[in-house]
Amino acid sequence: MQSSNGHPRGGEGGPESPDENHERIAPDHAGAPTVLPYDDPWYDELASGWGEADAGHLPAGSVPQARQEREDGARAMADVYLEVQRSAAFQEVRSRYRRFVVPAVAAFFAWYVAYVVTATTAPGFMAHPVAGAVNVAMLAGLGQFLTTFLLTWAYARHARLRRDRAALELRWDTQELTRGLGGGRP
């Protein structure tokens, strides 16, 4: 099998060298092969650590200054996020979320399991006509859809009334703290 640049892929031709990535053999007008250079956009000469020898700019084990500053800034920002996560305001937002979601999921799951169990164990009850061709199973199935829409509405309302403002304030405070560390956008 050959790659898009005409060189064998896999174990057939061995690993490609940087020289192979930047030349292509093409016939000239007389039919003799000539080497045509081209740039491979997926080949990055500056990348090191991918089986290539380092250019020797830095001694082994040293970290460039800019990279070290970025790591220090990242640690400082991580500390900000951990501080926010441990704050009472964040814990309040999370507890409000859990106080709504856990009972809602439990109730919806119980309602769904009751529908499925009843449909499989009591088909006579589910087939009982309610009005014309509409039976209990059809009403319960439509009730599943209605319950989904009602739960979605209740979740959005609860979030808007009980959590969104506090979460937005937390987000604003977090961005202000990280901006002070140089992590925010100018």
Side-chain angles (χ1 to χ4, degrees), residues 91-171:
Q91 296 303 323
E92 179 63 25
V93 170
R94 292 297 293 172
S95 69
R96 288 179 185 176
Y97 170 78
R98 287 187 190 113
R99 280 193 304 249
F100 178 83
V101 169
V102 171
V105 167
F108 185 78
F109 186 70
W111 159 233
Y112 176 74
V113 168
Y115 170 71
V116 172
V117 168
T118 306
T120 56
T121 59
F125 171 72
M126 295 298 267
H128 183 72
V130 175
V134 177
N135 59 18
V136 173
M138 290 175 73
L139 288 179
L142 291 173
Q144 290 288 317
F145 286 103
L146 179 64
T147 306
T148 302
F149 293 125
L150 286 174
L151 189 59
T152 303
W153 171 80
Y155 177 82
R157 183 176 184 276
H158 181 269
R160 185 180 71 245
L161 295 177
R162 305 251 195 284
R163 293 190 324 262
D164 285 352
R165 182 166 288 135
L168 188 60
E169 288 174 7
L170 273 172
R171 181 178 178 191

Side-chain angles (χ1 to χ4, degrees), residues 2 5 9 18 23-24 27-28 49-50 70 82 97-98 111 121 139-140 143 157 161 166 176 179:
Q2 296 220 342
N5 63 3
R9 228 183 246 193
E23 62 186 34
R24 178 175 57 151
D28 64 1
W50 293 94
R70 272 186 303 196
L82 287 173
Y97 170 78
R98 287 187 190 113
W111 159 233
T121 59
L139 288 179
R157 183 176 184 276
L161 295 177
E176 288 296 315
R179 186 174 291 123

Side-chain angles (χ1 to χ4, degrees), residues 7 18-29 31-38:
H7 295 289
D19 296 334
E20 288 178 347
N21 284 332
H22 295 284
E23 62 186 34
R24 178 175 57 151
I25 299 178
D28 64 1
H29 295 293
T34 60
V35 175
L36 299 174
Y38 74 97

